[in-house]
PDB file of all heavy atoms in Angstrom:
ATOM      1  N   ILE A   3     -62.034  41.903 -47.944  1.00 89.00           N
ATOM      2  CA  ILE A   3     -60.688  41.626 -47.441  1.00 89.00           C
ATOM      3  C   ILE A   3     -60.739  41.446 -45.927  1.00 89.00           C
ATOM      4  O   ILE A   3     -60.167  40.501 -45.381  1.00 89.00           O
ATOM      5  CB  ILE A   3     -59.722  42.759 -47.836  1.00 89.00           C
ATOM      6  CG1 ILE A   3     -59.581  42.817 -49.354  1.00 89.00           C
ATOM      7  CG2 ILE A   3     -58.368  42.566 -47.177  1.00 89.00           C
ATOM      8  CD1 ILE A   3     -58.771  43.985 -49.859  1.00 89.00           C
ATOM      9  N   GLU A  12     -60.267  33.069 -37.524  1.00 87.00           N
ATOM     10  CA  GLU A  12     -61.141  32.168 -36.776  1.00 87.00           C
ATOM     11  C   GLU A  12     -60.811  30.702 -37.063  1.00 87.00           C
ATOM     12  O   GLU A  12     -60.782  29.869 -36.152  1.00 87.00           O
ATOM     13  CB  GLU A  12     -62.609  32.461 -37.107  1.00 87.00           C
ATOM     14  CG  GLU A  12     -63.111  33.756 -36.517  1.00 87.00           C
ATOM     15  CD  GLU A  12     -64.525  34.112 -36.986  1.00 87.00           C
ATOM     16  OE1 GLU A  12     -65.085  33.367 -37.836  1.00 87.00           O
ATOM     17  OE2 GLU A  12     -65.053  35.122 -36.515  1.00 87.00           O
ATOM     18  N   PHE A  14     -57.859  29.561 -37.971  1.00 84.00           N
ATOM     19  CA  PHE A  14     -56.565  29.295 -37.326  1.00 84.00           C
ATOM     20  C   PHE A  14     -56.745  29.031 -35.839  1.00 84.00           C
ATOM     21  O   PHE A  14     -56.149  28.117 -35.276  1.00 84.00           O
ATOM     22  CB  PHE A  14     -55.609  30.472 -37.549  1.00 84.00           C
ATOM     23  CG  PHE A  14     -54.252  30.278 -36.918  1.00 84.00           C
ATOM     24  CD1 PHE A  14     -53.298  29.503 -37.536  1.00 84.00           C
ATOM     25  CD2 PHE A  14     -53.946  30.863 -35.690  1.00 84.00           C
ATOM     26  CE1 PHE A  14     -52.060  29.315 -36.951  1.00 84.00           C
ATOM     27  CE2 PHE A  14     -52.719  30.684 -35.100  1.00 84.00           C
ATOM     28  CZ  PHE A  14     -51.767  29.907 -35.734  1.00 84.00           C
ATOM     29  N   VAL A  15     -57.569  29.848 -35.174  1.00 82.00           N
ATOM     30  CA  VAL A  15     -57.800  29.682 -33.737  1.00 82.00           C
ATOM     31  C   VAL A  15     -58.480  28.351 -33.457  1.00 82.00           C
ATOM     32  O   VAL A  15     -58.132  27.650 -32.510  1.00 82.00           O
ATOM     33  CB  VAL A  15     -58.630  30.869 -33.185  1.00 82.00           C
ATOM     34  CG1 VAL A  15     -59.099  30.593 -31.769  1.00 82.00           C
ATOM     35  CG2 VAL A  15     -57.831  32.150 -33.253  1.00 82.00           C
ATOM     36  N   ALA A  23     -53.375  29.892 -27.612  1.00 85.00           N
ATOM     37  CA  ALA A  23     -53.374  30.225 -26.188  1.00 85.00           C
ATOM     38  C   ALA A  23     -51.960  30.570 -25.715  1.00 85.00           C
ATOM     39  O   ALA A  23     -51.761  31.535 -24.953  1.00 85.00           O
ATOM     40  CB  ALA A  23     -53.938  29.061 -25.379  1.00 85.00           C
ATOM     41  N   LEU A  32     -45.554  39.866 -22.131  1.00 95.00           N
ATOM     42  CA  LEU A  32     -44.615  40.878 -22.633  1.00 95.00           C
ATOM     43  C   LEU A  32     -45.207  42.286 -22.550  1.00 95.00           C
ATOM     44  O   LEU A  32     -44.498  43.246 -22.243  1.00 95.00           O
ATOM     45  CB  LEU A  32     -44.199  40.549 -24.067  1.00 95.00           C
ATOM     46  CG  LEU A  32     -43.310  39.319 -24.242  1.00 95.00           C
ATOM     47  CD1 LEU A  32     -43.043  39.051 -25.711  1.00 95.00           C
ATOM     48  CD2 LEU A  32     -42.006  39.487 -23.489  1.00 95.00           C
ATOM     49  N   ALA A  36     -43.602  45.251 -20.312  1.00 93.00           N
ATOM     50  CA  ALA A  36     -43.250  46.532 -20.905  1.00 93.00           C
ATOM     51  C   ALA A  36     -43.901  47.681 -20.150  1.00 93.00           C
ATOM     52  O   ALA A  36     -43.280  48.725 -19.915  1.00 93.00           O
ATOM     53  CB  ALA A  36     -43.656  46.558 -22.384  1.00 93.00           C
ATOM     54  N   LYS A  49     -35.103  62.486  -7.480  1.00 64.00           N
ATOM     55  CA  LYS A  49     -34.530  63.776  -7.819  1.00 64.00           C
ATOM     56  C   LYS A  49     -33.026  63.611  -7.988  1.00 64.00           C
ATOM     57  O   LYS A  49     -32.366  62.991  -7.156  1.00 64.00           O
ATOM     58  CB  LYS A  49     -34.826  64.808  -6.740  1.00 64.00           C
ATOM     59  CG  LYS A  49     -36.288  65.140  -6.642  1.00 64.00           C
ATOM     60  CD  LYS A  49     -36.534  66.247  -5.667  1.00 64.00           C
ATOM     61  CE  LYS A  49     -38.019  66.582  -5.630  1.00 64.00           C
ATOM     62  NZ  LYS A  49     -38.310  67.656  -4.720  1.00 64.00           N
ATOM     63  N   SER A  54     -22.370  71.393  -7.665  1.00 75.00           N
ATOM     64  CA  SER A  54     -21.684  72.526  -8.270  1.00 75.00           C
ATOM     65  C   SER A  54     -20.326  72.678  -7.592  1.00 75.00           C
ATOM     66  O   SER A  54     -20.229  72.866  -6.383  1.00 75.00           O
ATOM     67  CB  SER A  54     -22.514  73.806  -8.135  1.00 75.00           C
ATOM     68  OG  SER A  54     -22.735  74.074  -6.765  1.00 75.00           O
ATOM     69  N   LEU A  55     -19.299  72.547  -8.396  1.00 72.00           N
ATOM     70  CA  LEU A  55     -17.948  72.657  -7.878  1.00 72.00           C
ATOM     71  C   LEU A  55     -17.518  74.116  -7.890  1.00 72.00           C
ATOM     72  O   LEU A  55     -17.860  74.861  -8.810  1.00 72.00           O
ATOM     73  CB  LEU A  55     -16.996  71.825  -8.732  1.00 72.00           C
ATOM     74  CG  LEU A  55     -17.282  70.322  -8.762  1.00 72.00           C
ATOM     75  CD1 LEU A  55     -16.356  69.636  -9.748  1.00 72.00           C
ATOM     76  CD2 LEU A  55     -17.102  69.725  -7.387  1.00 72.00           C
ATOM     77  N   GLU A  57     -15.342  77.263  -8.620  1.00 77.00           N
ATOM     78  CA  GLU A  57     -14.388  77.564  -9.682  1.00 77.00           C
ATOM     79  C   GLU A  57     -13.028  77.825  -9.063  1.00 77.00           C
ATOM     80  O   GLU A  57     -12.886  78.641  -8.162  1.00 77.00           O
ATOM     81  CB  GLU A  57     -14.855  78.783 -10.476  1.00 77.00           C
ATOM     82  CG  GLU A  57     -16.103  78.522 -11.281  1.00 77.00           C
ATOM     83  CD  GLU A  57     -16.471  79.727 -12.126  1.00 77.00           C
ATOM     84  OE1 GLU A  57     -15.573  80.526 -12.443  1.00 77.00           O
ATOM     85  OE2 GLU A  57     -17.644  79.853 -12.449  1.00 77.00           O
ATOM     86  N   GLU A  65       7.854  74.891  -7.717  1.00 72.00           N
ATOM     87  CA  GLU A  65       8.552  74.928  -8.996  1.00 72.00           C
ATOM     88  C   GLU A  65       8.228  73.652  -9.765  1.00 72.00           C
ATOM     89  O   GLU A  65       7.977  72.605  -9.177  1.00 72.00           O
ATOM     90  CB  GLU A  65      10.073  75.033  -8.779  1.00 72.00           C
ATOM     91  CG  GLU A  65      10.511  76.371  -8.238  1.00 72.00           C
ATOM     92  CD  GLU A  65      10.227  77.506  -9.213  1.00 72.00           C
ATOM     93  OE1 GLU A  65      10.454  77.335 -10.421  1.00 72.00           O
ATOM     94  OE2 GLU A  65       9.747  78.553  -8.758  1.00 72.00           O
ATOM     95  N   MET A  67       8.817  70.319 -11.642  1.00 69.00           N
ATOM     96  CA  MET A  67       9.832  69.298 -11.424  1.00 69.00           C
ATOM     97  C   MET A  67      10.138  68.592 -12.737  1.00 69.00           C
ATOM     98  O   MET A  67       9.222  68.170 -13.439  1.00 69.00           O
ATOM     99  CB  MET A  67       9.339  68.284 -10.394  1.00 69.00           C
ATOM    100  CG  MET A  67       9.143  68.886  -9.024  1.00 69.00           C
ATOM    101  SD  MET A  67       8.478  67.712  -7.836  1.00 69.00           S
ATOM    102  CE  MET A  67       9.708  66.443  -7.874  1.00 69.00           C
ATOM    103  N   ASP A  77      19.608  73.387 -21.206  1.00 61.00           N
ATOM    104  CA  ASP A  77      18.872  73.691 -22.432  1.00 61.00           C
ATOM    105  C   ASP A  77      17.388  73.355 -22.307  1.00 61.00           C
ATOM    106  O   ASP A  77      16.595  73.728 -23.150  1.00 61.00           O
ATOM    107  CB  ASP A  77      19.448  72.900 -23.604  1.00 61.00           C
ATOM    108  CG  ASP A  77      20.874  73.315 -23.901  1.00 61.00           C
ATOM    109  OD1 ASP A  77      21.244  74.443 -23.538  1.00 61.00           O
ATOM    110  OD2 ASP A  77      21.608  72.506 -24.492  1.00 61.00           O
ATOM    111  N   ARG A  82       8.996  79.264 -21.750  1.00 62.00           N
ATOM    112  CA  ARG A  82       9.773  80.428 -22.145  1.00 62.00           C
ATOM    113  C   ARG A  82       8.883  81.324 -22.976  1.00 62.00           C
ATOM    114  O   ARG A  82       7.898  80.885 -23.555  1.00 62.00           O
ATOM    115  CB  ARG A  82      11.019  80.034 -22.929  1.00 62.00           C
ATOM    116  CG  ARG A  82      10.748  79.459 -24.305  1.00 62.00           C
ATOM    117  CD  ARG A  82      12.054  79.153 -25.014  1.00 62.00           C
ATOM    118  NE  ARG A  82      11.821  78.630 -26.334  1.00 62.00           N
ATOM    119  CZ  ARG A  82      11.785  79.372 -27.437  1.00 62.00           C
ATOM    120  NH1 ARG A  82      11.980  80.676 -27.368  1.00 62.00           N
ATOM    121  NH2 ARG A  82      11.551  78.834 -28.614  1.00 62.00           N
ATOM    122  N   TRP A  88      14.171  84.879 -34.323  1.00 81.00           N
ATOM    123  CA  TRP A  88      15.348  84.356 -33.652  1.00 81.00           C
ATOM    124  C   TRP A  88      16.492  85.354 -33.741  1.00 81.00           C
ATOM    125  O   TRP A  88      16.664  86.051 -34.748  1.00 81.00           O
ATOM    126  CB  TRP A  88      15.791  83.057 -34.298  1.00 81.00           C
ATOM    127  CG  TRP A  88      14.925  81.878 -33.960  1.00 81.00           C
ATOM    128  CD1 TRP A  88      13.814  81.871 -33.191  1.00 81.00           C
ATOM    129  CD2 TRP A  88      15.132  80.544 -34.402  1.00 81.00           C
ATOM    130  NE1 TRP A  88      13.313  80.618 -33.107  1.00 81.00           N
ATOM    131  CE2 TRP A  88      14.094  79.775 -33.839  1.00 81.00           C
ATOM    132  CE3 TRP A  88      16.057  79.925 -35.202  1.00 81.00           C
ATOM    133  CZ2 TRP A  88      13.993  78.414 -34.058  1.00 81.00           C
ATOM    134  CZ3 TRP A  88      15.959  78.565 -35.419  1.00 81.00           C
ATOM    135  CH2 TRP A  88      14.935  77.821 -34.852  1.00 81.00           C
ATOM    136  N   GLU A  92      20.626  82.309 -31.538  1.00 84.00           N
ATOM    137  CA  GLU A  92      19.669  81.218 -31.594  1.00 84.00           C
ATOM    138  C   GLU A  92      19.671  80.547 -32.953  1.00 84.00           C
ATOM    139  O   GLU A  92      19.553  79.325 -33.062  1.00 84.00           O
ATOM    140  CB  GLU A  92      18.262  81.725 -31.278  1.00 84.00           C
ATOM    141  CG  GLU A  92      18.044  82.103 -29.837  1.00 84.00           C
ATOM    142  CD  GLU A  92      16.672  82.717 -29.620  1.00 84.00           C
ATOM    143  OE1 GLU A  92      16.206  83.506 -30.467  1.00 84.00           O
ATOM    144  OE2 GLU A  92      16.069  82.392 -28.580  1.00 84.00           O
ATOM    145  N   MET A  99      21.369  74.388 -41.906  1.00 87.00           N
ATOM    146  CA  MET A  99      20.933  74.381 -43.292  1.00 87.00           C
ATOM    147  C   MET A  99      20.947  72.950 -43.807  1.00 87.00           C
ATOM    148  O   MET A  99      21.921  72.231 -43.623  1.00 87.00           O
ATOM    149  CB  MET A  99      21.911  75.200 -44.095  1.00 87.00           C
ATOM    150  CG  MET A  99      21.453  76.359 -44.925  1.00 87.00           C
ATOM    151  SD  MET A  99      19.821  76.924 -44.792  1.00 87.00           S
ATOM    152  CE  MET A  99      19.647  77.393 -46.455  1.00 87.00           C
ATOM    153  N   SER A 103      21.970  65.641 -49.297  1.00 93.00           N
ATOM    154  CA  SER A 103      21.607  64.292 -48.851  1.00 93.00           C
ATOM    155  C   SER A 103      20.386  64.339 -47.918  1.00 93.00           C
ATOM    156  O   SER A 103      19.532  63.443 -47.978  1.00 93.00           O
ATOM    157  CB  SER A 103      22.792  63.620 -48.161  1.00 93.00           C
ATOM    158  OG  SER A 103      23.130  64.302 -46.977  1.00 93.00           O
ATOM    159  N   ALA A 107      16.848  62.486 -48.806  1.00 95.00           N
ATOM    160  CA  ALA A 107      16.225  61.553 -47.870  1.00 95.00           C
ATOM    161  C   ALA A 107      14.792  61.981 -47.558  1.00 95.00           C
ATOM    162  O   ALA A 107      13.882  61.141 -47.477  1.00 95.00           O
ATOM    163  CB  ALA A 107      17.046  61.470 -46.591  1.00 95.00           C
ATOM    164  N   ALA A 111      11.393  59.861 -48.500  1.00 96.00           N
ATOM    165  CA  ALA A 111      10.411  59.521 -47.467  1.00 96.00           C
ATOM    166  C   ALA A 111       9.026  60.030 -47.849  1.00 96.00           C
ATOM    167  O   ALA A 111       8.017  59.333 -47.664  1.00 96.00           O
ATOM    168  CB  ALA A 111      10.844  60.096 -46.123  1.00 96.00           C
ATOM    169  N   GLU A 121      -1.666  54.096 -53.365  1.00 87.00           N
ATOM    170  CA  GLU A 121      -1.589  52.810 -54.049  1.00 87.00           C
ATOM    171  C   GLU A 121      -2.934  52.107 -54.155  1.00 87.00           C
ATOM    172  O   GLU A 121      -3.165  51.322 -55.070  1.00 87.00           O
ATOM    173  CB  GLU A 121      -0.567  51.897 -53.382  1.00 87.00           C
ATOM    174  CG  GLU A 121      -0.964  51.387 -52.018  1.00 87.00           C
ATOM    175  CD  GLU A 121       0.139  50.583 -51.353  1.00 87.00           C
ATOM    176  OE1 GLU A 121       1.195  50.383 -51.942  1.00 87.00           O
ATOM    177  OE2 GLU A 121      -0.099  50.157 -50.220  1.00 87.00           O
TER     178      GLU A 121
END
Side-chain angles (χ1 to χ4, degrees):
I3 296 174
E12 288 174 356
F14 180 80
V15 169
L32 291 176
K49 293 185 178 181
S54 60
L55 298 174
E57 292 184 25
E65 290 296 318
M67 295 177 58
D77 296 337
R82 69 178 181 94
W88 285 2
E92 289 175 320
M99 236 9 214
S103 65
E121 70 185 358

